[in-house]
Amino acid sequence: MFGKNGLKSRLCVLFVALGVPSNSHAAAIWQGQGQHEATLSDWATSLVKGSVLILGEEHATDQNQNEPQVIRHHQNQHSIIRALGQAGHVVSVGMEFFEYPKQGFVDSYLNGELEESEFLNKVGWGLAPFDLYRPQVLEPLRFGGTTIALNIPRAITSKVAKSGHDALDSEERALLPPIWERGSAPYFERFSEAIGGHAPKEAIERYFWAQSLWDDTMAWRTSQHKSQNPETTLVIIVGQFHAEFGHGLARRLKRYGLTQIHTLLQIERGEMAEQTDPKYGARANSYLVNEPCGSEPGTCQ
């Protein structure tokens, strides 16, 4: 399971070196449907094994990587994955920013066959701080799972955003998911509101087709993984907008035939009242509730 001899030991050393906490920084999981709080351990135990967990995130960048809230946010991701494994789930992780044609490089890295610097170069990782994602990528190896690349090459979505959904050539179309449909009207409405007055209508339409392709590719790759690993709980780390209100990725997963889907967002304690929108409903199924930075030992250092 761990590829080259010694990879398991290297993982343990890695987690200690990174200072990954042994307990979640989150105060609790607020389960929206049941309207009650639960410990992370109890929540992980209650999640149906074999589910798809959409874990919305604020992306870490080279600009925000040293912000305490961002560090805690990504430590919590690792804690969620670990809690699921400790609760008996076979856990895999799906990464939004890994392009699916490069899955072979992901596998080689997990198997210890590629040094990290070479791996990041081959997958085109860019300037994002991999330190904040490394534990999430490697943690599934401890719990019988793997990490999968979910997305279509950025060059294709960029072309769609720039020139429209009919602009792709035959080679690019060969990489498309079998279903690629324009997202729902509420999703487009929210998307347009998020962009605001920063683009003309024609451009927003192109951008939304690219957004929809992003979602459909991730949904397709997830459905492939789940068809071969039905007992595995797949944690998808994805930008928060894709996860909110069930409009984006969750809706596309259902289009691909998946039904056991759970969305989880991280919020601050003072944001609880903002999690239901009068127009769109609940933002997620559950919320990992963070206490204000500095109120817990070891939090937001």
Side-chain angles (χ1 to χ4, degrees):
M1 179 174 68
F2 292 96
K4 287 187 174 181
N5 292 336
L7 182 57
K8 184 175 181 180
S9 297
R10 285 164 50 201
L11 288 175
C12 295
V13 172
L14 170 67
F15 296 138
V16 172
L18 285 173
V20 175
S22 59
N23 295 300
S24 172
H25 289 305
I29 295 283
W30 179 268
Q31 296 179 291
Q33 292 178 337
Q35 296 294 301
H36 68 278
E37 286 193 357
T39 65
L40 182 56
S41 176
D42 287 344
W43 171 85
T45 300
S46 70
L47 188 72
V48 176
K49 291 182 173 65
S51 295
V52 176
L53 175 64
I54 303 175
L55 180 53
E57 75 155 9
E58 176 186 357
H59 296 313
T61 70
D62 59 328
Q63 300 297 314
N64 68 12
Q65 61 181 310
N66 294 319
E67 295 178 9
Q69 293 89 339
V70 173
I71 294 172
R72 177 173 70 174
H73 186 103
H74 287 80
Q75 288 176 333
N76 284 341
Q77 291 176 349
H78 180 212
S79 295
I80 290 165
I81 296 166
R82 184 181 53 230
L84 289 168
Q86 292 174 343
H89 292 255
V90 176
V91 186
S92 286
V93 167
M95 289 292 292
E96 174 186 8
F97 287 130
F98 288 167
E99 299 172 359
Y100 84 82
K102 298 177 180 179
Q103 181 66 51
F105 297 131
V106 179
D107 295 339
S108 293
Y109 172 64
L110 295 177
N111 291 333
E113 298 164 359
L114 270 183
E115 292 297 328
E116 185 172 287
S117 59
E118 184 180 4
F119 161 69
L120 295 177
N121 180 60
K122 287 183 177 297
V123 298
W125 180 253
L127 295 177
F130 192 65
D131 284 353
L132 293 182
Y133 290 94
R134 184 187 300 109
Q136 295 87 303
V137 171
L138 295 176
E139 185 75 352
L141 298 178
R142 298 179 62 193
F143 300 111
T146 189
T147 293
I148 61 172
L150 289 184
N151 232 318
I152 199 160
R154 295 172 184 83
I156 294 180
T157 50
S158 295
K159 187 172 182 178
V160 171
K162 181 178 179 180
S163 303
H165 66 291
D166 293 325
L168 302 179
D169 60 31
S170 59
E171 185 175 346
E172 291 163 334
R173 288 190 172 277
L175 295 175
L176 295 178
I179 303 173
W180 174 24
E181 298 173 346
R182 187 179 184 276
S184 68
Y187 194 33
F188 179 72
E189 185 175 45
R190 287 179 49 235
F191 186 84
S192 299
E193 290 171 353
I195 293 178
H198 303 295
K201 288 184 178 180
E202 297 79 7
I204 293 175
E205 183 68 20
R206 295 195 306 270
Y207 300 159
F208 189 62
W209 270 103
Q211 176 89 357
S212 300
L213 178 55
W214 207 251
D215 288 323
D216 264 329
T217 305
M218 291 190 289
W220 168 53
R221 285 285 291 164
T222 298
S223 69
Q224 287 184 315
H225 180 77
K226 291 298 295 175
S227 68
Q228 299 171 9
N229 304 274
E231 302 304 317
T232 296
T233 298
L234 179 63
V235 179
I236 299 177
I237 297 176
V238 67
Q240 194 154 274
F241 194 87
H242 295 274
E244 293 173 320
F245 301 105
H247 289 165
L249 182 54
R251 184 173 182 272
R252 305 316 298 161
L253 288 168
K254 292 175 183 177
R255 181 71 173 86
Y256 275 85
L258 297 170
T259 57
Q260 202 63 247
I261 303 163
H262 195 94
T263 53
L264 174 64
L265 300 177
Q266 289 195 52
I267 63 172
E268 300 303 310
R269 173 68 66 179
E271 298 174 342
M272 285 301 304
E274 304 169 14
Q275 302 315 307
T276 299
D277 184 273
K279 188 172 187 178
Y280 301 124
R283 287 180 67 217
N285 298 119
S286 297
Y287 308 93
L288 187 149
V289 183
N290 289 308
E291 300 295 348
C293 284
S295 67
E296 299 173 78
T299 296
C300 292
Q301 293 182 344

